[in-house]
Amino acid sequence: DYDAVPLLNGNTYNISWQTGVRHGLVSMRPGKNNTHVQHMLFQLSTGPVSAGASAVTGVGTGVGTGVSVTGVSMSSTTAGSQPHLNCIMNLVGGVSARALSKATLFRHPDQAGALLACVPDDSAQAALLFDCQQGSEVQRLTCLSLGQKEILHARHFHYNGEHFIGALTETNLGIFKWT
């Protein structure tokens, strides 16, 4: 049986995991305490936790426009070995996010151990590709040539030795090939 271990409360709408490296990308909509979409890169750990300790550490690190995560409530755990999250990086997006918007976290095709995040961004009318080592935006993927402005869902996939990102709009699918 699975037992619930509440780790993060907030206006979250997306999660993407890379299980081999225990990293997750959690996306949060803007709210009264955050003016921009926040994409927080976490590392999942387990170990002994003292009673009343925070299950999330490192929250508040701002990358991009310098907006930090505030208003995120963190659970307290009971003593024992429990999962906990370490916030490695906060990637800052635009000022709005659609309900169906989905980001993806994946291994860098050319750099062993490095991660990339691809996050749809309504304000940019693109999917933003972030280098998770540096916290910097490395590319904007747009579907404007398909007559579409907003990308709703981005997903990395590997096919026939090549790396791709599929970008889903309301009516089209755009495919981007890693070169």
Side-chain angles (χ1 to χ4, degrees):
D1 292 342
Y2 287 101
D3 291 327
V5 181
L7 295 174
L8 180 66
N9 295 319
N11 198 6
T12 58
Y13 68 94
N14 182 62
I15 186 168
S16 177
W17 284 101
Q18 270 297 308
T19 55
V21 292
R22 298 182 331 248
H23 284 75
L25 184 70
V26 177
S27 301
M28 298 180 74
R29 284 188 186 81
K32 63 180 179 179
N33 295 321
N34 294 313
T35 58
H36 289 77
V37 175
Q38 311 289 313
H39 304 281
M40 295 175 289
L41 180 65
F42 287 104
Q43 182 175 29
L44 179 66
S45 301
T46 57
V49 177
S50 52
S54 174
V56 180
T57 59
V59 175
T61 306
V63 175
T65 62
V67 176
S68 62
V69 178
T70 57
V72 177
S73 62
M74 297 157 259
S75 68
S76 293
T77 61
T78 57
S81 181
Q82 294 288 327
H84 56 276
L85 298 174
N86 178 32
C87 185
I88 298 169
M89 185 171 296
N90 180 28
L91 307 170
V92 179
V95 295
S96 66
R98 289 183 179 221
L100 299 175
S101 181
K102 301 289 182 205
T104 187
L105 180 66
F106 58 97
R107 293 175 192 236
H108 195 296
D110 294 335
Q111 297 176 15
L115 296 172
L116 294 173
C118 188
V119 299
D121 189 293
D122 290 350
S123 299
Q125 295 183 342
L128 308 180
L129 189 63
F130 285 98
D131 177 335
C132 293
Q133 300 288 99
Q134 305 296 318
S136 58
E137 181 184 317
V138 294
Q139 189 175 356
R140 288 182 180 219
L141 309 175
T142 66
C143 288
L144 295 176
S145 63
L146 300 174
Q148 298 293 307
K149 294 181 181 179
E150 290 88 10
I151 293 175
L152 299 174
H153 186 99
R155 183 75 176 166
H156 173 264
F157 63 96
H158 186 256
Y159 174 73
N160 206 23
E162 302 284 350
H163 293 268
F164 300 90
I165 292 177
L168 186 64
T169 69
E170 286 188 20
T171 58
N172 290 308
L173 172 65
I175 303 290
F176 300 88
K177 181 181 174 185
W178 182 265
T179 55

